[in-house]
Amino acid sequence: MKRRIALAILSSIFLFNCSSDDDDGSVDFPVELVGTWSSSAFSRTNCTASGDNATCDTAGCMTLTFSSNGGYSGSYPEVVLQGTATGDASGLKLCVPDNGCTDVSYTLVSGTLSANWIDSEDGCSYTVTMTKQ
């Protein structure tokens, strides 16, 4: 359940497949997002179960690493993230094997990545602000 959220994280966005259909084997993924990102702020709100709501303003509550081939991995409290990602300049689709995909909206301004998504499993709204490491 929490994996989808993270996936959504850099995740939410989109009208893309989780795998590449390109003839040259490349993946549609924004090159400026390739690398490791660490959160400076993270929040989970509007959850179906109010006890699931949480915030973290400690650096590194969530980390995500995107590779140029469309893979991603990372973590946030008690959750390990791993899957595939596709996207463009306005959104991402983060997919977890056998667990679906999450659309993530994001903006990238002056090296700061802001992303948000809604997890369909737990109903929580996620917001994260990250910087590249």
Side-chain angles (χ1 to χ4, degrees):
M1 172 168 78
K2 302 299 180 200
R3 288 184 196 173
R4 287 196 59 181
I5 294 174
L7 296 178
I9 223 171
L10 299 176
S11 75
S12 329
I13 309 188
F14 336 41
L15 307 169
F16 299 92
N17 292 324
C18 292
S19 62
S20 175
D21 292 332
D22 296 339
D23 293 337
D24 65 0
S26 66
V27 175
D28 293 325
F29 191 79
V31 66
E32 62 272 9
L33 296 183
V34 172
T36 299
W37 296 82
S38 180
S39 67
S40 56
F42 174 88
S43 68
R44 184 172 57 227
T45 60
N46 302 316
C47 298
T48 304
S50 62
D52 288 344
N53 293 327
T55 61
C56 180
D57 294 326
T58 303
C61 286
M62 171 181 256
T63 61
L64 281 172
T65 299
F66 291 105
S67 65
S68 60
N69 68 357
Y72 75 92
S73 62
S75 64
Y76 69 99
E78 302 175 17
V79 177
V80 174
L81 310 168
Q82 187 168 1
T84 59
T86 55
D88 61 17
S90 64
L92 300 173
K93 183 174 283 284
L94 301 178
C95 301
V96 178
D98 301 324
N99 202 16
C101 299
T102 301
D103 291 332
V104 177
S105 297
Y106 78 90
T107 58
L108 182 59
V109 178
S110 299
T112 298
L113 174 68
S114 299
N116 59 69
W117 67 95
I118 297 174
D119 186 277
S120 61
E121 273 188 46
D122 62 17
C124 299
S125 298
Y126 290 81
T127 301
V128 64
T129 302
M130 305 182 97
T131 55
K132 202 171 207 179
Q133 301 304 293

